Each structure stands twice: as structure tokens, then as C-alpha cells.
Amino acid sequence: QVQLVESGGGLVQAGGSLRLSCAASGRTFSPYTMAWFRQAPGKEREFVGAINSSGTMTYYADSVKGRFTISRDNAKNTVYLQMNSLLPEDTAVYYCAAGRLGVLTTTPPSYNYWGQGTQVTVSS
């Protein structure tokens, strides 16, 4: 089992920045592909971005490309989501997820472990 705990959410004005963290515990963190998803009220869970186990490859949804950056620190068992130039449409609950994957995949069922989520609200 891998336990994931997100933090860093909050209320920010449009154009601002936030950094989310996802701390992992339980099994060894480093072999896992990590991803961020988000879910706005009344909408399906949406892929945001993913990073491979070594941190050398990332993949982003078009909606966040160039604004969001995923990174990880395997020594600290933590993955980060740096969010810049935030827009009101970025408002959602953000979830981190982990999976033993050989590729960066965008589909939620591919990931075995999920955090409880952290709320991000961007005001206009």
C-alpha cells in the first residue's frame, strides 16, 4: 500500500501561483509513476500531468502546458505541482495518484493509489 497526502491548496487570485505537494508513505516511492488529476464540481476527473519514476519525463494536459510543472524528490518521497498563471477554470479539487506504470498514462483507472485531494480556488 502507498498512502498519499496532498497539501498546499488554497484560494488565490487569477494570475497567481500555488505549489501543491503530495507526500507518499508506505511502500518505496521511487518505482511509481506519479500523476496529478483534478475534479471540478459536476465534472469528471481530469488528467493534469504525470512524471515518470526517475523524474526525467513529464507529460501535461494541453490546458495546463506551459503553466504547470510537475517535479519529484524521491529522497523526500514527495511529488510537487507548481501552478503558475492560474485561471478561474483551474478551480478544482486536485488529487495525486501513483501507479507502477511503464508509460505516462492519462487514465485514472491506471493508477492504483490516490490521495484525498486538496482544494484549489482561483478567483477572478
Side-chain angles (χ1 to χ4, degrees), residues 10-34:
L11 174 64
V12 64
Q13 287 189 332
S17 297
L18 281 175
R19 188 175 83 154
L20 305 183
S21 299
C22 174
S25 61
R27 291 188 175 180
T28 303
F29 172 74
S30 56
Y32 286 85
T33 294
M34 301 297 296

Side-chain angles (χ1 to χ4, degrees), residues 27-100:
R27 291 188 175 180
T28 303
F29 172 74
S30 56
Y32 286 85
T33 294
M34 301 297 296
W36 288 93
F37 290 80
R38 66 187 182 186
Q39 189 165 17
K43 295 189 176 181
E44 292 187 353
R45 193 162 296 192
E46 174 190 25
F47 172 78
V48 173
I51 187 166
N52 69 341
S53 58
S54 62
T56 56
M57 293 179 59
T58 55
Y59 182 72
Y60 299 95
D62 287 344
S63 58
V64 306
K65 200 174 296 181
R67 300 188 298 121
F68 290 11
T69 302
I70 295 177
S71 60
R72 65 190 294 163
D73 185 338
N74 285 345
K76 295 183 178 180
N77 291 346
T78 302
V79 63
Y80 304 98
L81 180 66
Q82 178 66 44
M83 305 185 294
N84 298 328
S85 302
L86 282 161
L87 304 169
E89 48 263 46
D90 294 319
T91 295
V93 176
Y94 282 71
Y95 299 89
C96 70
R100 293 291 296 263

